[in-house]
Amino acid sequence: MIKKLEWYIIKKFLGTCLLAMIFIMAIAIIFDLQEKYDDFIAKKAPIKAIIFDYYLNFIPYYANLFTSMFVFISVIFFTSKMASNSEIIAIHAGGISFRRFLVPYAITASFIAIVSWILVLYIIPEANEKRINFEDRYVKNKYQNWEKNIHRQVRPGLFVYMESYNVEAENAFRFSIEKYEDGKLKSKLTSDYARWDSTKCAWTVYNYFIRELHGKTETHTSGARIDTACYLEAKDLKMRDYYVEKMNIVELNEFIENQKLQGTDNIEKLMIEKYQRWALPFSTFILTLMGVCLSNKKKRGGTVINIVVGVALCFTYILLMQVSTTFTLNLGFSPLAAVWMPNVLYAILCFFLYRKATI
């Protein structure tokens, strides 16, 4: 009897969640197509590319991003229907406690969370690469780097400077490289400009002058052209913020370490992206249990009231996430605490709702 009950709830859970996801994603695609239709026509995007490169990769990204919301609304909807049909009363009358009643929900939520973790850590970034490449070609304007006086520490003791950088030509003007050992300058290369050579994966430096210090003596070298590698690639200078979505968790961790070495000011954004990949799937479990606690009893207004409350809580969760990340970017709040704060607050609320539901 218990096995049949578990399968009954699991099938309802997954079926309702899948239908909700299909319905909402269909609406999202319609609105997105309406918004980008002019860009597709103006830039002559092929229909095959629109379908297979863009929308086929658009669906898993946004479906996974809002999985916890889909799950929450689905749980409230079908559990409220079960309560209205007196199914839950019959289940409890059969000797099954509320805690035991939660087991199939917990099993399904755990399964969805694990699948979501695998997707967001390793699989979705590959899909995002195709989607973002399509957007760069047919939707977004060409990227321009308006940053001036670019100064990066690419490795401990190794600094690269350029007055400006041309993205299209991949030219750096007033280019220089400085090497330090024990806090003392050992060598410095200066030049009028440098160009990135993708075949050699190195900078070709023009009209260069190299100064090397050896204790109290120094040597000078100059020339018209020289190739040099300095751990800074052209792609690092034309990286848009959302390009991190193309990185799996291993690549993201490596990128964060490189950005720390270079002393860039976007570390907080990168840490938020990293922690969200772990926190968002976990929210599926919390919101599932909360949804059951909110909707397991028959009440006046039934399903409609429960769904309204559920939607309000979803928007509150999103608002909390936005507020906490804003604190991180503007007030120096810990990225780890900012990302996990909504989950912690909702876990506390879920605990009180659970206590109330078991009374």
Side-chain angles (χ1 to χ4, degrees), residues 156-193:
L158 182 62
F159 297 85
V160 176
Y161 170 82
M162 56 191 75
E163 186 177 279
S164 61
Y165 178 71
N166 186 308
V167 172
E168 291 187 17
E170 295 187 334
N171 287 342
F173 300 94
R174 302 289 183 184
F175 183 85
S176 68
I177 302 175
E178 297 177 353
K179 294 180 181 180
Y180 288 83
E181 291 181 8
D182 300 323
K184 296 181 180 180
L185 179 66
K186 288 298 182 181
S187 68
K188 182 173 182 177
L189 177 151
T190 57
S191 67
D192 293 336
Y193 74 99

Side-chain angles (χ1 to χ4, degrees), residues 40 75 97 177 271:
F40 293 162
V75 167
S97 66
I177 302 175
M271 298 304 292

